[in-house]
Amino acid sequence: MAKRSNKGIYYALVIHILWWGCLLWALQLDFNLANPWIYVAFLLQTHLYTGLFITAHDAMHGTVSKNRKLNKAVGAISALLFSFNFYNRLNKKHHEHHRFVATDKDPDYHHGSFWPWYFSFLKQYISIWQILLMAISYNLLKLFIPWKNLVFLWMAPAVLSTFQLFYFGTYQPHKGEHSAANEQKSTSQSLNHWKAFFTCYFFGYHYEHHISPGTPWWKLPKLKEKIAGEGYPG
């Protein structure tokens, strides 16, 4: 397990600053489908939403800060910014995933094809309170901000980010059968750090995360290089 430090705070701060900066910029853009910046803002905001969730996730493993209260506070704020997710609820389910990986008790796992699994995944993590809070926020914000900007540059990137997190961080690593020697029931994305970062902040290196959940996202590449050289159990 990686040694805990406070370096995660700086990574979390960068992600939060970029998320807010991109959002404030995107919301004041002239929403015109001929405007290329609309698409740039959409993709950036999607990637930064994923970064918020990854930050909350790292907090669940205590890797954002050695200070427990600060670690939890950063995790809770990150989760709330991601469409009003609640940190304690996410934390409980995520640790169940690690404890019961790829079993019927694993909230992230589903015996079935891609789309049924995706909707099962969403049902585990979307609550009525999130929907209500998003609806209230949207109706208040549209008094000051054009609805198209809110829907396509604030809400839609969050939805696409759930797809990104699911596909690269849950479905791809855990689908199919795994050998008895693979206790983590996980596979790992091929060694390509650029691809791994832009797809899911290195969480495609999922086997590595499962064998060392105390390794923060930004240290997974080194762990990947080490394990790739040693070989995988299958």
Side-chain angles (χ1 to χ4, degrees):
M1 181 177 290
K3 184 178 179 181
R4 292 181 182 180
S5 71
N6 286 315
K7 196 172 182 179
I9 286 292
Y10 302 110
Y11 284 93
L13 186 61
V14 167
I15 288 172
H16 276 249
I17 290 172
L18 289 175
W19 184 85
W20 277 109
C22 182
L23 179 64
L24 293 174
W25 166 63
L27 292 180
Q28 58 80 41
L29 285 173
D30 175 27
F31 196 93
N32 183 330
L33 294 179
N35 181 0
W37 292 111
I38 293 295
Y39 305 97
V40 173
F42 177 81
L43 292 174
L44 280 175
Q45 198 63 10
T46 298
H47 186 64
L48 291 167
Y49 261 118
T50 301
L52 283 180
F53 191 90
I54 294 299
T55 300
H57 164 273
D58 271 12
M60 296 173 206
H61 290 292
T63 63
V64 171
S65 173
K66 292 187 291 186
N67 183 301
R68 290 186 177 182
K69 289 184 178 179
L70 180 58
N71 181 82
K72 184 176 181 179
V74 172
I77 293 169
S78 301
L80 278 174
L81 291 176
F82 196 103
S83 303
F84 295 104
N85 275 282
F86 298 104
Y87 178 80
N88 288 340
R89 183 169 179 267
L90 291 176
N91 189 37
K92 179 177 181 294
K93 286 183 176 291
H94 186 66
H95 284 284
E96 287 175 355
H97 166 62
H98 277 271
R99 185 179 178 187
F100 305 112
V101 61
T103 70
D104 291 338
K105 292 182 180 180
D106 180 354
D108 290 7
Y109 189 72
H110 179 76
H111 293 283
S113 57
F114 178 83
W115 288 110
W117 192 340
Y118 178 57
F119 289 119
S120 173
F121 178 82
L122 291 181
K123 284 196 299 182
Q124 289 289 337
Y125 291 99
I126 295 177
S127 70
I128 187 63
W129 289 108
Q130 283 178 265
I131 296 171
L132 287 173
L133 287 169
M134 285 297 290
I136 291 169
S137 299
Y138 168 76
N139 281 286
L140 289 174
L141 289 171
K142 76 175 184 178
L143 298 174
F144 312 99
I145 301 168
W147 72 267
K148 289 182 180 180
N149 293 61
L150 287 172
V151 171
F152 295 105
L153 299 174
W154 175 51
M155 300 172 80
V159 174
L160 185 59
S161 179
T162 66
F163 188 89
Q164 182 180 4
L165 287 160
F166 169 74
Y167 184 80
F168 293 106
T170 298
Y171 177 74
Q172 279 292 334
H174 293 298
K175 70 176 182 177
E177 299 296 325
H178 304 279
S179 71
N182 187 345
E183 295 180 0
Q184 309 307 325
K185 306 300 179 188
S186 308
T187 57
S188 187
Q189 196 174 46
S190 60
L191 182 59
N192 183 322
H193 295 334
W194 284 105
K195 178 182 177 182
F197 172 71
F198 284 110
T199 51
C200 201
Y201 290 76
F202 305 118
F203 268 85
Y205 297 159
H206 208 72
Y207 177 82
E208 288 75 10
H209 169 60
H210 271 265
I211 65 168
S212 182
T215 298
W217 67 266
W218 40 275
K219 285 188 175 181
L220 285 173
K222 286 187 177 180
L223 184 59
K224 167 70 177 181
E225 291 171 7
K226 178 183 176 182
I227 294 176
E230 297 172 350
Y232 294 89

